[in-house]
Amino acid sequence: MSAIALDRLSKTFGRSVALRDLTLDVAQGEFLTILGPSGSGKSTALSLISGLAQPSSGTIHLAGRDVTQLAPARRNIGLVFQSYALFPHLNLRDNVAFPLRVRKTPAADVTRRVDEIIGLLRLGGLEDRKPSQLSGGQQQRVALARALVFGPDILLLDEPMGALDKKLREDVQVELRRLHKRLGTTTILVTHDQEEALSLSDRILVLADGHAEQVGTPREVYTRPANAFVAGFLGTANQLRGRLRPRDAGGLELVVDGGHSLPLSLPLAPHAGAAGAEVVVIARPETARILPDDPSSPGIPGKIRDAIYLGTHARYHVETSFEEPLIVSSTDPRARHAPGDPVRIGWSPDDLWVLPTPASQP
Ligand code: ADP
Ligand code: MG
C-alpha cells in the first residue's frame, strides 16, 4: 500500500490551473522530490496533500485512507516551509514542544520526545535560545525538529533550504539525508534546485505548468529525460537535431547538419522509430569527448569559442555548423583548449539519448 496516493489531483484558481491531473504514488519510507521552476505548482501540490488547501478535483489517499475531505490536523503530517515560521517569543525547547502541547501529550512524554529530537538534530545546548539568537541553519533544524517531534507519518518540506546560503544548505541537506535514513519517514521535498533533487531523492517528479513531465529515479530523469524541458531543467543539455540512418555495421546513427554522423546505441533509442525519422538527441557536456581535428576522428568538427576554467573542470563553448554552440566539459587537468582551436566533438553511443518524439510517446 502506498503511503501517499494522488489520483488526478487538480487545483484551479479562477481560470488559471495551478495543478493539473497529478497522479502519483509514494511508497512507505520513500524520499520523493518535486522539482520544477517557480510557479509550476509545487507548493500547491504540498498544500493539497497537507490539507491546507482543497483540491478542485481528484482524491488523496494516505496509507489507503481517503483523506481528501479530512482536516489538516488529522492527517498526521509534519510540515516545514522556507520561512521557518518559528514562534519568535518562544525558546528553542518550547518551539519544538509546541505540536506535542497542542496534542495534549503528557508532560513526561513531552520532555522525553523533545530531548530525543533535539539530540537527533544536534541542537543540544541551545534549548533556551530564542529564534533570533540562532543562525539560519539552526533555525531550520528547529523547524525540522518541530515537524518530526510528534512522529508524523509523512514529512512535507517546501523549499526548506531556499533561504540558506550554499554552505548552510549543504549542511541541512546532509542532516536531512541522515534523518531520513534514521527515521524512514515518508518524505516529499519541494525544490527548484536540481542538484538538491538529484542528491537527496529516491525519485524525482518534474513539474512544469502544473503538469507532471516525468517521474523517475535521479539517474532516470537525468540520463533518460522524457522531453527537452526535463533535459534542460536537470543540468545542461546539448540538443542534437538530425535524421536516423542505418549503419553499415548494423544499428542506427544520427546524421546531423553537414553530414557528420554519431553512432547510437539502440537500447537508448527504444522509441526512435525507423531510419529516416527526424529526432532530437540529448548529449550532456560531461560525457563529450574532445578529439583532435582530424578527418579520421569521429564526431562533429568545430572550433573552441570560449574556454572557461572552473577548478574541478573546464567548460568549452564550441562553434559548429549548428545554430547553438555545443557545450562540453572536461575534467582532464592536462587538457588545455584555447579559443580558436579546431576540435572534433564526439559522444560514446551509450551517452546519447534519443528523445521520444510526441507521436511515439505512449
Ligand atoms: P511553485 O510552488 O511551484 O512556485 P505554486 O504552487 O505556488 O508554484 O503556484 C502555482 C500557480 O498557481 C502559480 O501560477 C500561482 O500564481 C498560482 N497560485 C498559487 N496560489 C494561488 C492563490 N492562492 N491564488 C491564485 N493563484 C495562486
Ligand atoms: Mg512554492
Side-chain angles (χ1 to χ4, degrees):
M1 191 202 308
S2 308
I4 305 170
L6 310 179
D7 188 27
R8 281 165 297 164
L9 203 59
S10 295
K11 178 70 175 175
T12 53
F13 294 101
R15 252 188 281 157
S16 87
V17 184
L19 196 68
R20 190 192 312 260
D21 284 333
L22 177 62
T23 295
L24 175 72
D25 283 287
V26 183
Q28 189 63 49
E30 187 172 5
F31 195 120
L32 180 124
T33 296
I34 302 180
L35 176 69
S38 173
S40 57
K42 306 182 297 295
S43 295
T44 300
L46 280 203
S47 46
L48 295 178
I49 297 168
S50 67
L52 296 175
Q54 275 293 306
S56 307
S57 61
T59 59
I60 304 167
H61 285 76
L62 302 182
R65 184 166 69 130
D66 188 339
V67 301
T68 316
Q69 305 297 331
L70 202 65
R74 301 186 53 204
R75 299 189 186 190
N76 202 33
I77 290 176
L79 277 170
V80 179
F81 299 101
Q82 174 173 337
S83 57
Y84 324 120
L86 300 178
F87 302 109
H89 58 288
L90 296 183
N91 65 22
L92 186 155
R93 170 169 277 282
D94 290 334
N95 262 289
V96 173
F98 188 81
L100 297 175
R101 302 226 160 96
V102 170
R103 287 169 173 76
K104 312 247 183 293
T105 310
D109 285 349
V110 172
T111 306
R112 183 180 54 78
R113 287 183 167 210
V114 169
D115 285 343
E116 205 174 274
I117 202 81
I118 283 178
L120 194 59
L121 277 151
R122 302 189 233 247
L123 290 164
L126 304 171
E127 288 88 341
D128 297 327
R129 295 210 193 165
K130 298 275 171 63
S132 62
Q133 298 166 311
L134 297 166
S135 73
Q138 287 167 341
Q139 288 183 50
Q140 199 50 296
R141 270 155 48 214
V142 177
L144 264 174
R146 189 179 58 178
L148 287 166
V149 71
F150 58 94
D153 297 322
I154 292 165
L155 182 61
L156 301 180
L157 308 163
D158 194 347
E159 311 228 17
M161 281 79 93
L164 305 177
D165 64 37
K166 190 171 158 60
K167 178 70 180 69
L168 278 180
R169 203 156 65 219
E170 281 168 8
D171 290 349
V172 179
Q173 285 169 4
V174 170
E175 205 66 41
L176 262 184
R177 222 189 328 248
R178 199 176 58 87
L179 271 177
H180 184 255
K181 253 208 183 90
R182 177 84 180 268
L183 301 172
T185 312
T186 306
T187 302
I188 299 184
L189 167 74
V190 155
T191 184
H192 62 265
D193 180 331
Q194 32 124 342
E195 248 181 64
E196 189 168 293
L198 290 170
S199 70
L200 289 174
S201 324
D202 294 319
R203 281 189 308 155
I204 298 173
L205 163 71
V206 184
L207 268 191
D209 275 335
H211 178 259
E213 300 291 332
Q214 189 170 9
V215 190
T217 64
R219 202 172 281 278
E220 277 163 3
V221 292
Y222 188 77
T223 63
R224 287 151 168 63
N227 53 46
F229 173 82
V230 174
F233 198 69
L234 281 129
T236 306
N238 294 294
Q239 293 186 32
L240 312 178
R241 279 160 211 287
R243 191 181 286 276
L244 298 177
R245 183 171 71 189
R247 297 181 67 201
D248 300 339
L252 288 173
E253 61 189 5
L254 177 77
V255 184
V256 297
D257 201 27
H260 302 285
S261 65
L262 294 166
L264 298 171
S265 154
L266 277 184
L268 293 180
H271 37 247
E278 299 273 358
V279 294
V280 175
V281 166
I282 297 300
R284 297 287 186 186
E286 68 277 7
T287 51
R289 291 182 186 154
I290 307 172
L291 307 163
D293 180 36
D294 175 337
S296 69
S297 295
I300 301 162
K303 195 173 269 189
I304 304 276
R305 196 187 72 185
D306 305 296
I308 304 146
Y309 177 69
L310 292 160
T312 55
H313 65 285
R315 181 163 275 219
Y316 301 101
H317 296 174
V318 181
E319 230 155 40
T320 66
S321 61
F322 303 156
E323 210 169 299
E324 297 285 320
L326 288 178
I327 299 177
V328 304
S329 58
S330 163
T331 52
D332 180 356
R334 281 167 306 275
R336 290 208 191 133
H337 304 284
D341 285 357
V343 289
R344 289 205 171 213
I345 306 300
W347 276 270
S348 145
D350 291 336
D351 294 323
L352 293 174
W353 168 244
V354 184
L355 280 186
T357 50
S360 70
Q361 266 175 340

